[in-house]
């Protein structure tokens, strides 16, 4: 027999006169007027615009990240940028190249698709085909020059032990590619900057080319993984920014961090950031949460957020220089 009390069917209204209240002035609050944004005048300088942003959420993270990048640059620490293919496809290569040329970005880490788009832009000034239009006819991904160039670069990489990124960049410079001035691969090769390409065989169009050699590709990208491990092992007090890679580069980063720590490089004080149009499990977990001392996650379109990130970094650098003078 169930002896539990029968639930009340008719509940009387609760007597709110017994509730204890407190003064609004004494209550802790999350939002305060001091953190509100301001309205800069029309035509205000970029710095005034950035300073006018509210001190909340993405704006707060953007400024904090920019300050960490500026500090790392000032202290001679590494600032590594990893990126997926859409960063190039949305026209952001010149934005990142400016940071490379200023010496702010010290290494580049590309997915296979990023390298493909960068190489094609350098050689012919355009990239990214209409997949739907070409797929039905079996023509999607069958560009001959791109496939041959990547096969040759992979063979050179394996032969010379220089990594796929450097082999591709050197090829662009040696061939005097007409648009090499907007190529991340070419600029990195020109400056002898680490530029790694991380290949997942079967995911890129160049793997379908008759000249593709799996042994060459594997050796080339393994060399680049080892170069990435070297970069990350030296990234203590530095910054790793993942731009638009949802799977490949977050996984590469996680494994390279493990290699660095396994071999006596703690990389304890590390700032990381993820910029993408959508939030994903691996970027949030592998890049922002697991390894770093501090991590930032900012969602938005690359063609807006990456130029804004550059401006925030340059503003932070200018503020640091002014403060030290």
């Amino acid at each position: 027999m169930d002896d539990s009390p029968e639930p009340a069917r008719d509940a009387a209204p609760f007597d709110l006169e017994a509730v204890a209240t407190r003064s609004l002035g004494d209550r802790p609050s999350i939002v305060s007027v001091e953190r509100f944004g301001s309205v800069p005048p029309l035509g205000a300088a970029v710095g005034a615009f950035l300073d006018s942003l509210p001190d909340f959420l993405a704006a707060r993270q953007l400024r904090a990240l920019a300050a960490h990048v500026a500090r790392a640059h000032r202290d001679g620490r590494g600032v590594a940028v990893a990126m997926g293919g859409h960063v190039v496809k949305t026209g952001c290569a010149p934005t990142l190249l400016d940071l490379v040329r200023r010496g702010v970005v010290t290494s580049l880490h590309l997915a296979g698709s990023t390298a493909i788009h960068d190489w094609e832009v350098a050689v012919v000034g355009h990239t990214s085909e209409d997949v739907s239009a070409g797929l039905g006819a079996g023509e999607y991904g069958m560009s001959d020059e791109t496939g041959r160039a990547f096969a040759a670069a992979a063979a050179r990489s394996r032969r010379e032990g220089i990594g796929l990124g450097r082999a591709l960049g050197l090829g662009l410079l040696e061939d005097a590619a007409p648009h090499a001035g907007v190529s991340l691969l070419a600029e990195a090769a020109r400056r002898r900057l680490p530029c790694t390409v991380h290949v997942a065989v079967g995911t890129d169009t160049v793997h379908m080319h008759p000249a593709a050699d799996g042994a060459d590709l594997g050796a080339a990208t393994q060399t680049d993984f080892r170069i990435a491990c070297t970069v990350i092992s030296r990234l203590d007090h530095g910054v790793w920014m993942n731009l638009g890679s949802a799977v490949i580069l977050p996984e590469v980063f996680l494994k390279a961090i493990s290699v660095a720590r396994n071999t006596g490089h703690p990389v304890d004080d590390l700032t990381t950031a993820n910029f993408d149009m959508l939030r994903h499990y691996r970027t949030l977990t592998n890049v922002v949460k697991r390894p770093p001392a501090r991590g930032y996650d900012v969602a938005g379109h690359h063609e807006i957020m990456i130029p804004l990130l550059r401006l925030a970094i340059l503003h932070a650098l200018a503020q640091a220089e002014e403060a030290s003078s």
Side-chain angles (χ1 to χ4, degrees):
M1 180 176 177
D2 186 1
D3 293 330
S4 59
E6 190 173 326
R9 288 184 170 83
D10 296 316
F14 197 89
D15 181 9
L16 295 181
E17 291 184 4
V19 172
T21 63
R22 59 177 173 175
S23 169
L24 174 61
D26 295 333
R27 187 200 69 190
S29 298
I30 297 172
V31 175
S32 64
V33 69
E34 290 81 12
R35 296 174 63 191
F36 279 19
S38 59
V39 182
L42 188 64
V46 169
F49 163 71
L50 290 165
D51 290 340
S52 76
L53 295 175
D55 189 30
F56 296 104
L57 301 174
R60 183 181 180 87
Q61 294 202 50
L62 179 68
R63 281 194 294 240
L65 171 62
H68 284 297
V69 172
R71 187 177 301 114
H73 175 62
R74 185 178 67 246
D75 296 343
R77 304 292 182 170
V79 176
V81 173
M83 71 194 81
H86 277 81
V87 173
V88 173
K89 289 170 64 174
T90 52
C92 292
T95 302
L96 295 170
L97 283 168
D98 178 75
L99 293 175
V100 168
R101 288 164 182 153
R102 291 175 185 270
V104 176
V105 170
T106 57
S107 67
L108 298 168
H109 308 275
L110 316 182
S113 63
T114 322
I116 289 170
H117 295 307
D118 185 87
W119 186 90
E120 289 185 344
V121 166
V123 172
V124 295
H126 57 79
T127 190
S128 191
E129 59 191 299
D130 186 333
V131 178
S132 298
L135 194 60
E139 296 177 347
Y140 162 64
M142 299 302 173
S143 300
D144 185 58
E145 296 89 341
T146 311
R148 288 191 183 280
F150 271 72
R156 178 178 185 175
S157 169
R158 188 182 188 189
R159 184 173 62 251
E160 299 180 16
I162 58 174
L164 183 56
R166 181 156 178 78
L168 286 165
L170 287 174
L172 291 172
L173 295 178
E174 291 162 0
D175 294 342
H179 302 280
V182 291
S183 166
L184 297 161
L185 290 164
E187 189 67 21
R190 183 182 292 112
R191 293 176 176 271
R192 299 190 63 83
L193 205 71
C195 181
T196 61
V197 178
H198 301 276
V199 173
V201 175
T203 64
D204 297 323
T205 55
V206 294
H207 306 161
M208 304 186 290
H209 195 279
D213 185 296
D216 287 345
L217 277 171
T221 201
Q222 176 71 356
T223 296
D224 272 348
F225 173 67
R226 291 175 177 175
I227 293 170
C229 289
T230 300
V231 168
I232 289 173
S233 72
R234 299 170 179 171
L235 214 55
D236 203 34
H237 303 286
V239 180
W240 175 278
M241 293 188 284
N242 182 75
L243 310 179
S245 177
V247 178
I248 298 294
L249 295 175
E251 291 294 347
V252 168
F253 173 68
L254 194 70
K255 276 65 173 185
I257 277 281
S258 186
V259 167
R261 290 175 175 172
N262 179 272
T263 53
H265 303 85
V267 197
D268 288 330
D269 192 335
L270 175 64
T271 298
T272 65
N274 177 62
F275 279 66
D276 209 342
M277 291 180 283
L278 298 172
R279 288 189 166 92
H280 301 280
Y281 166 79
R282 281 177 178 81
T283 50
L284 188 61
T285 306
N286 292 4
V287 177
V288 177
K289 288 185 175 180
R290 274 179 176 155
R294 66 200 65 82
Y296 301 100
D297 187 43
V298 180
H301 286 264
H302 298 317
E303 64 274 18
I304 296 172
M305 297 310 301
I306 293 177
L308 188 56
L309 172 63
R310 170 188 168 270
L311 292 174
I313 290 170
L314 296 183
H315 182 50
L317 285 168
Q319 286 181 316
E321 186 175 339
E322 183 179 336
S324 62
S325 62

